[in-house]
Amino acid sequence: MNPLLAQFLAETDDLLSQAGRGLLRLERVPGDPEPVNEVFRAAHTVKGSSGLFDLPELTRLTHATEDLLAEVRAGRLGLDSGMTGDLLAAFDLIRGWLAHVSTHERLPSSAGADAAELITRLRAPLGGEATPPTRATKSGALTRRPGGGEPPPEAEETVTVPVTPVIEVGKEKMDRLVELAAELNVATNGLTFLAVAAEEEFGSRMLSRRIKDQHAGMHRIAEQLRAAVTDVRMVPLSVAFGRFPPLVRDLSRRLGTTVELVTEGEDTVADADVIEALGEPLTHLVRNSVVHGIEPSAERVAAGKAPAGRLTLTAVADRDAVIVEVSDDGRGAGPDFTTAAQIPVRPGRGAGMDAVRAGVEKLGGAVTIRSEPGEGTAVRLRVPLSTAVTRVMVVGVGGQRFGVPVDLVVETARVPAGEMGRVLRQEVMMLRGDVVPVVDLARVLDMPWSADAGADRRILVVSVNGRRTGLLVERFHREADVVLKPMEGLLAYADEFSGTALLGDGLVLLVLDMSQVLGRAARIA
């Protein structure tokens, strides 16, 4: 792709997001000159830059948006909800065109027809009059023709568009680079096993120390490389949050409710694949809050609340994870989630939560929910910053090693056999005053091992969906960074495993899907 076109697509996408946010802010605070100027500048920049390429429909449509905004900016026209909707529709159409251009380097064949109706609506408040077109000279500079006729060369107004070199790297190449950096990091850790073998098998403490020193240097470089490559793939949460203002506006208008959308922590970053995977769960949660959570204004006022509901999207980094919370101050939820009659095509909140939980757990994350009737609902998603490398706690059962994602691990414990208890058919232990159920991992996985009658129990305490459970294991090993591979072959249909990984000593590690493991434990109890 032409580097100049690649830069145009990237910059225009940012400008459209900026314009959309500005319009929605302007709708909340009519007459505020700052968002008017912000949206106008965005439209003006897109219109001017589009003239460098063979994208006439895009130029005409952005020209129409610019002319309407110019009248609003000058105070000669008041921006109403209909105009705002037309402007948002125009920006959404252009965003769709950009996706097509990025693949085909041209606008779709339907662009002219798609733009015609919008242009007519945008120009209607102006009396339907067209404005002077903009064209590009052979040199690449933009020229404006005042009055619509062909001006003499000396009358042309030239606008220079600065160009920053852009290197385009395909996603497949970037993914491969991230994968290789991660595997290098894992392979480097194999030196630690070699150091142990040098001392225990060959009796050379000196050689073991030299291997450990070499490992320390290689590990540092491998970590720096992995961090640098991973950083290239990091994008801000604003990419995910940016799609929701138009969605909230549309849903609230259809439902007759008033919803204020607030975003916090938009600069928090995560891997591009994580951001993409969060799109569907977040969309479910935002829809649920607007459709099922936030009440109509009259109902809110009767309950002593502000007429406008508040929907908040928050993101914050937490070590190697990112926490995203979707909260509203609506009616809250009891055991049964209601379904709004106004939008019968929308499923109930419970069905949506199943999809949210499945999407987040697929990333190796967790979902927690807080809800108070009459106060609102908050759903918190905790997902890894990157899925390139997964950190796991390695445990052993029956001579086989298994991995448990560290994000799910609460603590390890050694419990005397005499302190174990039983409630009905469930083995339990007391942990700082709390009763914690204990699952025998060997029994769940049908492994040939059982704990000695009088021996201390080694228990790994995990938290899945906010509920703590103990895993009875044979031994604890250590934490390890692994590159998770999908299950293949005979184990492809074993739901209790989320993938496999190769450890530094060459052994294969099976990584447990804890939701499936605990579900299986409940079925065989």
Side-chain angles (χ1 to χ4, degrees):
M1 180 184 292
N2 181 345
L4 185 60
L5 178 59
Q7 181 179 0
F8 167 74
L9 294 175
E11 291 180 350
T12 300
D13 188 64
D14 290 340
L15 288 167
L16 292 175
S17 297
Q18 175 184 323
R21 291 193 299 269
L23 278 173
L24 295 173
R25 192 163 71 250
L26 185 61
E27 191 173 43
R28 293 195 300 270
V29 188
D32 187 347
E34 183 179 346
V36 174
N37 291 331
E38 180 181 345
V39 179
F40 174 82
R41 285 194 297 268
H44 176 75
T45 302
V46 173
K47 183 206 71 173
S49 298
S50 67
L52 289 169
F53 312 99
D54 185 22
L55 307 171
E57 292 85 359
L58 194 155
T59 303
R60 284 198 291 271
L61 182 55
T62 51
H63 209 152
T65 64
E66 181 192 29
D67 287 347
L68 177 60
L69 289 164
E71 293 298 301
V72 175
R73 188 186 188 205
R76 293 188 289 269
L77 192 65
L79 188 68
D80 58 29
S81 60
M83 296 178 198
T84 301
D86 291 339
L87 287 167
L88 287 171
F91 294 147
D92 286 342
L93 179 60
I94 294 171
R95 186 175 282 108
W97 286 351
L98 295 183
H100 190 275
V101 171
S102 67
T103 303
H104 305 284
E105 299 193 25
R106 59 177 174 79
L107 291 174
S109 57
S110 61
D114 294 339
E117 181 183 354
L118 267 176
I119 291 175
T120 300
R121 296 209 308 259
L122 289 166
R123 294 204 181 283
L126 309 177
E129 297 179 0
T131 54
T134 299
R135 65 180 177 86
T137 63
K138 292 181 179 180
S139 63
L142 299 178
T143 60
R144 188 178 293 107
R145 299 196 296 269
E150 280 295 330
E154 63 272 14
E156 292 188 341
E157 177 187 351
T158 301
V159 180
T160 301
V161 179
V163 179
T164 302
V166 175
I167 300 175
E168 184 180 5
V169 179
K171 184 177 184 298
E172 296 79 8
K173 292 181 179 179
M174 197 69 240
D175 289 344
R176 181 58 177 158
L177 186 59
V178 171
E179 183 179 349
L180 288 173
E183 289 184 351
L184 174 63
N185 195 20
V186 173
T188 301
N189 290 336
L191 290 175
T192 59
F193 296 96
L194 188 59
V196 172
E199 183 170 355
E200 294 183 354
E201 296 181 24
F202 300 100
S204 178
R205 183 171 296 179
M206 178 71 71
L207 178 59
S208 175
R209 185 177 298 114
R210 292 180 63 180
I211 293 174
K212 289 178 180 179
D213 291 342
Q214 187 70 16
H215 166 261
M218 292 182 65
H219 180 71
R220 176 177 53 82
I221 296 172
E223 272 291 315
Q224 290 176 349
L225 175 62
R226 183 179 69 85
V229 173
T230 302
D231 188 59
V232 174
R233 290 178 49 86
M234 291 292 181
V235 294
L237 263 297
S238 59
V239 173
F241 288 176
R243 72 182 69 179
F244 296 121
L247 174 64
V248 171
R249 178 184 185 273
D250 178 61
L251 286 176
S252 62
R253 286 171 64 86
R254 290 169 57 193
L255 292 167
T257 57
T258 304
V259 182
E260 178 188 3
L261 177 62
V262 179
T263 57
E264 301 172 352
E266 295 173 284
D267 295 336
T268 304
V269 297
D271 186 271
D273 285 345
V274 174
I275 296 291
E276 183 179 356
L278 277 175
E280 183 177 352
L282 288 177
T283 300
H284 275 295
L285 293 177
V286 169
R287 286 184 185 276
N288 284 339
S289 287
V290 177
V291 176
H292 305 288
I294 295 177
E295 317 93 327
S297 297
E299 184 179 333
R300 292 180 61 85
V301 170
K305 297 181 178 181
R310 187 180 180 91
L311 173 59
T312 305
L313 303 180
T314 306
V316 61
D318 183 20
R319 295 180 297 176
D320 292 334
V322 61
I323 297 173
V324 181
E325 185 173 276
V326 180
S327 60
D328 65 66
D329 65 349
R331 55 175 60 92
D336 298 320
F337 287 79
T338 59
T339 302
Q342 298 95 324
I343 304 185
V345 296
R346 303 291 182 215
R349 203 167 195 172
M353 284 308 305
D354 289 341
V356 170
R357 199 179 301 282
V360 172
E361 289 178 354
K362 188 176 180 180
L363 286 172
V367 181
T368 55
I369 304 174
R370 303 188 314 276
S371 188
E372 292 289 337
E375 299 295 328
T377 300
V379 181
R380 176 170 290 190
L381 315 180
R382 180 185 174 88
V383 295
L385 281 177
S386 173
T387 56
V389 174
T390 302
R391 190 159 186 82
V392 297
M393 177 69 185
V394 182
V395 297
V397 174
Q400 173 67 49
R401 282 183 281 183
F402 299 96
V404 178
V406 166
D407 282 344
L408 302 181
V409 175
V410 177
E411 61 181 290
T412 60
R414 291 176 66 99
V415 181
E419 294 184 11
M420 299 295 293
R422 185 171 290 275
V423 176
L424 298 179
R425 292 183 296 175
Q426 176 67 61
E427 194 169 22
V428 298
M429 71 176 193
M430 295 298 296
L431 186 65
R432 289 185 289 279
D434 293 331
V435 178
V436 177
V438 176
V439 170
D440 186 339
L441 186 58
R443 184 178 178 219
V444 172
L445 301 179
D446 197 21
M447 300 293 294
W449 175 82
S450 60
D452 293 336
D456 289 351
R457 303 300 196 252
R458 293 179 174 85
I459 296 175
L460 181 71
V461 182
V462 298
S463 176
V464 179
N465 299 327
R467 183 169 180 262
R468 290 192 301 174
T469 304
L471 286 183
L472 175 62
V473 300
E474 184 177 1
R475 61 173 49 88
F476 302 121
H477 289 283
R478 59 186 180 85
E479 293 184 7
D481 291 325
V482 298
V483 179
L484 200 60
K485 302 290 186 181
M487 301 295 294
E488 297 177 347
L490 296 175
L491 293 176
Y493 300 100
D495 293 338
E496 58 268 31
F497 305 117
S498 60
T500 63
L502 189 64
L503 293 175
D505 58 357
L507 293 181
V508 174
L509 180 75
L510 293 172
V511 179
L512 299 174
D513 183 328
M514 289 309 306
S515 294
Q516 295 293 332
V517 168
L518 297 182
R520 180 178 171 85
R523 291 192 297 271
I524 66 177

